Amino acid sequence: MTAFDDLVAANREYASTFSGGEFDGVARAGAAIVTCMDSRIDPLRMLGLHYGDAKIFRNPGGRVSPDALEALVLGVHLLGVTRVLVIPHTRCAMTQSTEAELRERIAASAGVDASWQPFHVIADQLAALEEDVRKVRSHPLIPESVAVGGFLYDVDTGLVERRV
Ligand SMILES: [Zn+2]
């Protein structure tokens, strides 16, 4: 018995009817989504997308980090991405604490010092979204022909609203 048995069993079920093998890695809907790791976000379904449609990059807060930009550059030039959506969400944990508070909580949970661990908390979510959209738009390897939008996902209503 391992911690993964239920998941591997579910995968066998999934693979028994799997038919996606003929797809390549291109984003068929031309979409790349940068969003938060929050388990309340279902990035494909909330936009009416399906298997194979989108490149998805997730991290705490849904920030356009250097890794996210790397993914977007690859997506735009090699994987069919023509539109980029940056989608943070309401009631995000990264907007609700300071870095010091998060370090304190993690240290209490881990039982060891956590003061060295960075946590990229977000003081002003709209300002962060504007900055993130600007980072994508101004990237020298992302052409102006790529549409870039900043959105907010409401975890209570399921609505995605454009903000930037
Ligand atoms: Zn979040």
Side-chain angles (χ1 to χ4, degrees):
M1 291 284 285
T2 78
F4 310 107
D5 289 351
D6 57 333
L7 304 177
V8 172
N11 169 260
R12 295 303 177 264
E13 187 69 27
Y14 172 76
S16 71
T17 58
F18 184 70
S19 62
E22 74 272 19
F23 284 9
D24 55 22
V26 165
R28 291 186 307 149
I33 301 162
V34 178
T35 193
C36 184
M37 64 191 273
D38 195 293
S39 51
R40 292 169 291 186
I41 299 174
D42 191 345
L44 288 177
R45 284 214 307 149
M46 76 185 186
L47 296 170
L49 297 173
H50 301 98
Y51 176 84
D53 282 345
K55 297 292 163 190
I56 300 172
F57 189 95
R58 305 185 72 158
N59 60 24
R63 299 303 310 275
V64 176
S65 60
D67 279 358
L69 285 169
E70 177 184 341
L72 293 175
V73 168
L74 288 166
V76 165
H77 290 284
L78 304 181
L79 301 166
V81 169
T82 58
R83 43 188 177 161
V84 174
L85 301 90
V86 184
I87 317 180
H89 66 100
T90 58
R91 298 204 278 130
C92 181
M94 300 308 284
T95 66
Q96 291 173 344
S97 304
T98 64
E99 187 173 50
E101 286 165 353
L102 279 181
R103 282 176 170 156
E104 218 169 274
R105 288 169 60 194
I106 300 297
S109 170
V112 295
D113 173 51
S115 63
W116 51 272
Q117 173 68 55
F119 295 103
H120 297 98
V121 298
I122 302 160
D124 180 336
Q125 195 174 42
L126 183 58
L129 183 56
E130 286 169 351
E131 183 192 328
D132 282 350
V133 167
R134 195 161 49 238
K135 274 186 199 167
V136 180
R137 285 208 179 110
S138 64
H139 195 288
L141 296 175
I142 297 179
E144 276 179 31
S145 58
V146 173
V148 185
F151 301 79
L152 187 67
Y153 177 69
D154 187 322
V155 296
D156 294 301
T157 65
L159 287 169
V160 171
E161 302 282 3
R162 185 155 188 183
R163 294 299 172 89
V164 183

